Amino acid sequence: MLFNSPEFLFAFLPLTLALFFLFGSRLGARAAMFWLIAASLFFYSWWEPKNLLLLVFSLLFNYRLSQWLIARTEAGRPSKPGLVLGIAVNLGLLGWFKYANFFADNIGSLVGRDWDFGTIVLPLAISFFTFQQISYLVDGYRGQVQRCSALDYTLVVTFFPHLIAGPIVRYQSVLPQFKVPGVFAWDANRVGCGLTLFVMGLFKKMVFADGIAPYANSAFDAAAQGVTLTFSEAWIGALAYTCQLYFDFSGYSDMAIGIAWMFGIRFALNFDSPYKATSIIDFWRRWHMTLSAFLRDYLYIALGGSRHGAVRRYANLATTMLLGGLWHGAGWTFVVWGGLHGSYLVVNHGWRALSARLGFTDERPLLPRPVAWLITFLAVVAAWVLFRAHDLSSAGSMLASMVGVHGFEWAFTANVGIPRRYAVIGIVVLLGIAVTMPNTQQWLARFSPALDRPDRTLLRPVQRMVDRVHWRPGVMWSALGGAMAAACVLSLTRVSQFIYFQF
């Protein structure tokens, strides 16, 4: 069930929210929790009911194993084989559904055989609930979490705002919030704040992301069909996708955080204006922050982190990003995208080390900040071409057009069919918003709908504007929210899936 579908907006969400508070106030916390679990399982099964069996198996297996691992650790006898078994089973399921045919195709091509496991449909959200439960197994083995009831565990894993596409929540950050008595009581300010954030995210998705998507699709589809794009076509296609992906996924993340806050639960921040980053290191601290934290805590550090010298550190960075790229999809474009970002990070860390030796600091950088921002942004855009392209060949052709290999023609061919004027206006407006304006969390920062505080670095005129008109319950913000909601309702005729649903 999509957050931007009529079924969710006008039936599921209001009914789930109303009965949650009704059960919480009349029947108690356990009744409200049971209702929320039932609603979340219904939400998950809406797309494909049989996939509910996989989710239930994953819940039962990981819950039993996690409680056993925690008990062993509490008794002073941690079981590493048990942890390895749990990770192997989780990754085995993920590997079968997501990567079986990818590896079969590639191995088959190497040995000259045609291997195929047939059609394997990727279960919705398997990447997200697998990573979440692996983190709980590891934390249990490390003694960082305590044993819990099956009800608590199931609620944290299945809570529908994060279930499909994140953010990747940690058990120890969410469950204590459900133990606060006030969470089951209606709070108008809290619901209003969460609803505002939800509508802002919905507007990002349905108006901004879906509005610019046709320009990106035209260029990438043409490249996949073997059309050699002109310089301007390639750049407009790449920049249009840069805007589409940003507003699609940041919109989804805002909606998830907003829905959770309506229920009184704060999620970790997942986006913090990543296109304002002045380095790739800074970019990954701002983009898909919960995935970055997972890869750091459970992969990079497990590989040795920075504890074994610079060479090993850079190898660990590259390996982490390669696997992070593969997590996004079973295709060489994602692997190369991850490898490219791994290379970016290695270069960035090396540059920082050189700058430090030359006496430069973050406050007095070697490169002026506008130059550092431009280099970072162009590197991210180039990588997005690989992320979006149908295959490596079309990605290579598009990147070649972007650097002028095929000339610097500004005309648009009939094969691509992009109305240049509207495409350019859309890109300029959306990038202007992403790069210069406050993000949604900054507008609502005084009410703290997320666990983390957003970055406070804003241009002085923008900061003064936020200080004057930050979100608060009142007529102005209600009217603005109503206008955005109306624009979204008018767009319901073209409901589209979120990009990260495929991962």
Side-chain angles (χ1 to χ4, degrees):
M1 191 182 299
L2 300 174
F3 285 172
N4 55 332
S5 65
E7 298 87 353
F8 182 86
L9 293 171
F10 302 118
F12 179 84
L13 180 59
L15 180 63
T16 302
L17 195 65
L19 291 181
F20 174 78
F21 290 123
L22 178 64
F23 290 162
S25 61
R26 299 291 180 85
L27 303 177
R30 288 180 63 83
M33 292 168 73
F34 270 115
W35 163 247
L36 201 49
I37 290 172
S40 297
L41 294 176
F42 174 81
F43 172 83
Y44 180 79
S45 65
W46 179 264
W47 177 64
E48 182 55 76
K50 66 181 181 182
N51 286 339
L52 191 60
L53 296 175
L54 176 65
L55 177 59
V56 170
F57 168 79
S58 180
L59 287 166
L60 292 173
F61 172 79
N62 284 289
Y63 174 70
R64 295 302 302 168
L65 181 60
S66 64
Q67 302 311 294
W68 181 78
L69 287 172
I70 294 171
R72 289 287 298 254
T73 298
E74 289 175 346
R77 295 180 290 111
S79 175
K80 193 169 187 177
L83 175 64
V84 171
L85 171 65
I87 294 174
V89 170
N90 280 283
L91 293 183
L93 286 172
L94 180 62
W96 168 255
F97 284 104
K98 197 166 184 176
Y99 305 108
N101 277 327
F102 172 70
F103 287 115
D105 290 342
N106 284 279
I107 295 173
S109 65
L110 288 175
V111 301
R113 296 186 60 181
D114 185 16
W115 286 352
D116 187 2
F117 293 110
T119 301
I120 301 176
V121 179
L122 182 67
L124 199 62
I126 187 172
S127 296
F128 288 93
F129 68 69
T130 296
F131 272 23
Q132 182 187 1
Q133 293 185 102
I134 286 176
S135 72
Y136 185 68
L137 292 176
V138 175
D139 290 347
Y141 170 79
R142 293 173 176 172
Q144 296 173 347
V145 292
Q146 297 177 335
R147 281 179 280 183
C148 66
S149 69
L151 178 69
D152 291 343
Y153 182 84
T154 303
L155 177 59
V156 171
V157 174
T158 63
F159 187 35
F160 74 90
H162 74 80
L163 178 59
I164 305 301
I168 301 173
V169 303
R170 305 287 180 91
Y171 172 89
Q172 55 269 43
S173 69
V174 172
L175 183 62
Q177 298 184 62
F178 278 110
K179 302 301 181 181
V180 177
V183 76
F184 302 104
W186 172 269
D187 185 315
N189 283 343
R190 188 179 70 202
V191 173
C193 180
L195 182 61
T196 300
L197 186 55
F198 175 82
V199 170
M200 286 179 165
L202 186 66
F203 188 85
K204 282 185 183 181
K205 163 62 178 171
M206 300 191 71
V207 177
F208 290 164
D210 290 352
I212 201 70
Y215 306 117
N217 295 338
S218 294
F220 281 96
D221 290 346
Q225 294 165 11
V227 175
T228 299
L229 304 181
T230 65
F231 179 77
S232 56
E233 288 169 348
W235 270 105
I236 285 182
L239 290 173
Y241 183 69
T242 297
C243 296
Q244 179 197 358
L245 180 60
Y246 176 89
F247 286 104
D248 188 284
F249 195 30
S250 68
Y252 175 89
S253 297
D254 286 342
M255 293 164 77
I257 292 174
I259 296 168
W261 188 226
M262 291 185 218
F263 288 91
I265 304 300
R266 286 187 172 98
F267 283 165
L269 195 60
N270 216 20
F271 269 80
D272 195 8
S273 299
Y275 289 169
K276 295 177 183 177
T278 54
S279 70
I280 293 296
I281 295 172
D282 188 25
F283 173 80
W284 279 105
R285 288 172 178 166
R286 294 168 175 265
W287 176 275
H288 206 342
M289 296 157 67
T290 58
L291 176 63
S292 298
F294 178 91
L295 293 174
R296 179 197 65 213
D297 295 345
Y298 300 102
L299 183 55
Y300 174 71
I301 292 175
L303 290 171
S306 58
R307 301 190 299 272
H308 304 289
V311 174
R312 177 72 177 275
R313 177 193 190 188
Y314 295 151
N316 292 338
L317 273 174
T319 301
T320 299
M321 293 310 298
L322 275 171
L323 293 174
L326 186 61
W327 175 85
H328 281 85
W332 285 110
T333 52
F334 293 110
V335 175
V336 176
W337 171 80
L340 187 58
H341 267 282
S343 301
Y344 288 166
L345 287 170
V346 169
V347 171
N348 197 170
H349 280 284
W351 178 260
R352 281 196 169 186
L354 175 63
S355 298
R357 284 198 294 270
L358 294 176
F360 293 93
T361 63
D362 290 341
E363 290 72 26
R364 192 173 66 89
L366 180 55
L367 284 179
R369 290 189 183 277
V371 175
W373 171 83
L374 182 61
I375 293 172
T376 302
F377 181 73
L378 292 178
V380 169
V381 172
W384 285 146
V385 173
L386 285 156
F387 193 85
R388 171 62 175 82
H390 293 265
D391 50 45
L392 291 176
S393 176
S394 59
S397 174
M398 194 161 174
L399 288 169
S401 295
M402 291 170 66
V403 297
V405 171
H406 304 303
F408 295 92
E409 176 62 53
W410 284 91
F412 282 70
T413 67
N415 291 326
V416 179
I418 301 176
R420 179 167 58 182
R421 180 188 307 172
Y422 301 113
V424 171
I425 291 173
I427 289 168
V428 169
V429 170
L430 293 184
L431 285 182
I433 292 171
V435 173
T436 66
M437 294 298 290
N439 58 45
T440 47
Q441 294 294 327
Q442 289 168 327
W443 283 116
L444 282 78
R446 298 193 182 189
F447 287 80
S448 302
L451 287 172
D452 315 287
R453 300 290 290 181
D455 176 45
R456 292 301 186 93
T457 306
L458 292 170
L459 298 173
R460 286 186 180 179
V462 176
Q463 184 61 63
R464 287 196 292 269
M465 175 181 65
V466 174
D467 290 340
R468 286 197 301 269
V469 296
H470 65 274
W471 185 86
R472 62 176 69 85
V475 175
M476 185 193 75
W477 278 101
S478 296
L480 180 59
M484 288 191 292
C488 294
V489 170
L490 293 175
S491 302
L492 286 176
T493 55
R494 52 180 174 86
V495 173
S496 63
Q497 193 179 79
F498 291 90
I499 292 175
Y500 261 72
F501 270 36
Q502 64 186 290
F503 306 139

